[in-house]
Structure formats: C-alpha cells, structure tokens
Amino acid sequence: MENRTIWTNFTLLGLTDRPELQTPIFVLFLLIYAVILLGNVGMLLTIVMSSTLHTPMYLFLANLSFVDLGYSSCVVPKMLVNFVTGSQSIYLISCAMQFYFFAAFVISEFYILMLMAFDRYMAICHPLHYTQRMSHRFSVLLVGLTYVYGFTDGMTQTVLTFRLSYCGSREIHGFFCADPPLLKLSCSDLRIKQTVLLMCSGFNLSITSLAIFVSYMFIISAILRIRSADARRKTFSTCSSHLMSVTIFYGTLFFMYLRPNSQQSVDQDKVVTVFYSAVIPMLNPLIYGMRNREVKEALKKGIHL
C-alpha cells in the first residue's frame, strides 16, 4: 500500500546527527539570522526613509533585501525552532508552504539581479535617456512582473512536487523542504516533474545569467571608452557591489547543479543550501552597505536623527 503524503508528516534530519554540534550550530545560525534581520530590514528602512535613495537602482536594491529576507525566513526560523524543541517533524502543509515561498523568493531573486544589471546598463550606456526610460512607474512595473512570474513558477513547482506519492521513508536529508531530497522519497513517476523542473530551472538560470553577462559586456565597453582613469574607476565602482552579489549567488548555484554526483553529494548539498539560504542573505546588505557611498551616508544620517 502506498503511504501517501496526505496521511503523513516529514522528518527533517537537519545538518548533522552529532549531539555535540547541536548547540554550536544553533548559536551560529541564531547569530546569522540576527545579522540577516538587522542588515536587510535596516537596508529597507534606509531606502524608504531617505529621499535621496528614491531611484530605480535603490528600488531594485530594496527588493533584493526583501527577497533575501523572505527566503531566509522560510528556512532559518524553522531550523532554530527544531533545535530548541528537539522535534524534527514538519507537517505536510508546512512543508508545502515552506517549499512554495522559498522557491518563489529565490526565483524572484534571479530577476531582481537581472533588473539591477539592466539598470546599470541604462545608467552607464544611455545616461541622457536614463531618467526618461527608467521612470518610477516603469521600474515598479518591472518589479511587479518579477514577483508575478516568481510566485507563479514557484506555485507550478510546488503543485507538481506535492501531487506525488511518497512511500516508505519520510526522512528528508536536509534542514528544509526542497526538490532534491523530496524527489528521492517519491515512488511516483517523476518524468513530468523532472522535465518541468529542468526546463524552468534552465530557463531562469540561462536567461538571467545571459542578460547580466550581455549587460556587463556593454557596460565594460562603455567604461573603457572613458578617457579619465578616475572617471572610469568611479563609474565601475557603481557596479562593483552588484557584481559581487551576482558572483556569489550564481557561483553557488552553478556549483550545486553542474558538479558531478558522488557519494558526498548529500553532505555537499547541505553545505551549498546553507550558503544560499542563509549566508548570501547575510552578505548582500553588508556588501552594499560597506561599498555604496550613498547608502553609507543615508545610514549615518538615519543614525544621527
């Protein structure tokens, strides 16, 4: 008899089964999540409250902080609660909700990063037309379309995953509900799910990375045509924070999906998922806060108020 998901909960095995590591891991992730909250909420409030930051570039940055806060909050609080209560169980509906919102926010981040690259392309390559073409209304429309697509794609993946039957083991080798460990537990025919997952993931990864790459090819070409070395440095500095975020985000995903399978793949998956579910949302506000002069000045003004 099939043990279908409607009758069961899942068990999250977490990062490690070694008791001596439970407390250090809990403290570490508690600190990481505190930095995530402080950094991303602080970035959002700074951009909202500072009139000098009400531009398309900072609208996209505010939404980057929002999606970082969103998908990290889908994962880390539940993991911390499990450490405190000692329970590893997660209800089916909770697992599905966690899966959905995590996928929706991560997919949205692909396109937020792409919009940030497009914004820098327009500002550097078409400065005379930037204000007209990148109007507030147009920028808000782009962000809105990003969320519509991200949450629609997330729903598609969630429905396809949770309509499957799950037989035998209910133990998820990880600390949150995601496709790879869930699909390993399914006894259904996975061809439709895996085909749609491959198509959507390939499309999202390729179209956004290609758009970012092409944007920066034009940006670099425009910067090299600037005669003044100081002007070239200042122009490129406006892109450096975004380039760091893109490198970390896409580098992590490319490592996860392009590396060969091995016996250590489960442990490697845990490390990689920790990185993009907790470390990246922690690093992004630090990168932009430390390297962006306008953000630093707005933060100083806010602190002195």
Side-chain angles (χ1 to χ4, degrees), residues 166-220:
Y166 293 90
C167 313
S169 174
R170 293 169 291 166
E171 296 180 341
I172 297 175
H173 287 274
F175 56 95
F176 71 101
C177 295
D179 259 330
L182 281 170
L183 295 183
K184 290 178 182 178
L185 303 180
S186 176
C187 54
S188 298
D189 186 346
L190 301 178
R191 285 177 293 181
I192 295 177
K193 165 62 184 180
Q194 289 177 331
T195 300
V196 174
L197 177 61
L198 180 62
M199 290 175 60
C200 292
S201 300
F203 175 80
N204 294 332
L205 192 60
S206 60
I207 198 72
T208 56
S209 59
L210 179 62
I212 291 170
F213 177 78
V214 172
S215 295
Y216 272 102
M217 289 299 98
F218 283 109
I219 289 170
I220 292 171

Side-chain angles (χ1 to χ4, degrees), residues 4-124:
R4 292 183 177 272
T5 53
I6 194 169
W7 303 112
T8 66
N9 300 335
F10 290 106
T11 300
L12 297 170
L13 296 182
L15 291 174
T16 180
D17 56 358
R18 296 173 60 182
E20 68 273 14
L21 296 179
Q22 300 296 319
T23 300
I25 291 175
F26 170 78
V27 173
L28 175 63
F29 276 89
L30 183 62
L31 292 173
I32 288 175
Y33 191 60
V35 175
I36 290 172
L37 287 177
L38 183 63
N40 288 288
V41 173
M43 184 67 72
L44 280 168
L45 291 176
T46 299
I47 293 171
V48 170
M49 296 175 65
S50 176
S51 59
T52 60
L53 301 183
H54 292 175
T55 63
M57 182 174 74
Y58 293 106
L59 171 66
F60 299 143
L61 178 56
N63 281 276
L64 179 66
S65 291
F66 176 71
V67 295
D68 280 343
L69 187 62
Y71 71 75
S72 62
S73 296
C74 293
V75 174
V76 182
K78 172 61 178 174
M79 183 171 60
L80 294 175
V81 169
N82 287 354
F83 276 120
V84 173
T85 61
S87 172
Q88 295 177 306
S89 179
I90 183 170
Y91 291 113
L92 171 65
I93 186 63
S94 299
C95 187
M97 293 291 287
Q98 184 183 63
F99 181 103
Y100 170 58
F101 283 105
F102 183 84
F105 281 120
V106 169
I107 294 166
S108 298
E109 179 144 342
F110 279 104
Y111 292 90
I112 293 294
L113 289 171
M114 184 184 73
L115 291 180
M116 294 175 77
F118 177 69
D119 175 76
R120 290 299 82 206
Y121 160 75
M122 292 299 298
I124 294 172

Side-chain angles (χ1 to χ4, degrees), residues 84-275:
V84 173
T85 61
S87 172
Q88 295 177 306
S89 179
I90 183 170
Y91 291 113
L92 171 65
I93 186 63
S94 299
C95 187
M97 293 291 287
Q98 184 183 63
F99 181 103
Y100 170 58
F101 283 105
F102 183 84
F105 281 120
V106 169
I107 294 166
S108 298
E109 179 144 342
F110 279 104
Y111 292 90
I112 293 294
L113 289 171
M114 184 184 73
L115 291 180
M116 294 175 77
F118 177 69
D119 175 76
R120 290 299 82 206
Y121 160 75
M122 292 299 298
I124 294 172
C125 299
H126 303 282
L128 299 179
H129 303 286
Y130 175 76
T131 304
Q132 179 184 1
R133 294 182 181 178
M134 294 299 294
S135 65
H136 178 73
R137 183 177 181 179
F138 181 62
S139 300
V140 171
L141 176 62
L142 291 176
V143 172
L145 291 174
T146 291
Y147 286 123
V148 169
Y149 175 78
F151 278 75
T152 301
D153 193 358
M155 179 59 71
T156 301
Q157 299 303 327
T158 304
V159 170
L160 289 174
T161 296
F162 286 89
R163 65 183 292 273
L164 300 172
S165 296
Y166 293 90
C167 313
S169 174
R170 293 169 291 166
E171 296 180 341
I172 297 175
H173 287 274
F175 56 95
F176 71 101
C177 295
D179 259 330
L182 281 170
L183 295 183
K184 290 178 182 178
L185 303 180
S186 176
C187 54
S188 298
D189 186 346
L190 301 178
R191 285 177 293 181
I192 295 177
K193 165 62 184 180
Q194 289 177 331
T195 300
V196 174
L197 177 61
L198 180 62
M199 290 175 60
C200 292
S201 300
F203 175 80
N204 294 332
L205 192 60
S206 60
I207 198 72
T208 56
S209 59
L210 179 62
I212 291 170
F213 177 78
V214 172
S215 295
Y216 272 102
M217 289 299 98
F218 283 109
I219 289 170
I220 292 171
S221 176
I223 290 175
L224 292 177
R225 290 196 297 268
I226 300 174
R227 294 182 178 181
S228 169
D230 187 55
R232 286 198 300 268
R233 181 184 58 80
K234 288 181 178 179
T235 304
F236 186 76
S237 67
T238 64
C239 305
S240 59
S241 298
H242 178 252
L243 275 173
M244 290 180 66
S245 295
V246 166
T247 301
I248 295 170
F249 186 76
Y250 281 87
T252 302
L253 291 176
F254 276 119
F255 172 80
M256 183 173 184
Y257 289 107
L258 298 182
R259 62 184 171 77
N261 291 324
S262 66
Q263 293 296 324
Q264 293 80 31
S265 62
V266 173
D267 292 333
Q268 290 177 355
D269 284 347
K270 290 180 181 181
V271 173
V272 174
T273 51
V274 165
F275 201 82

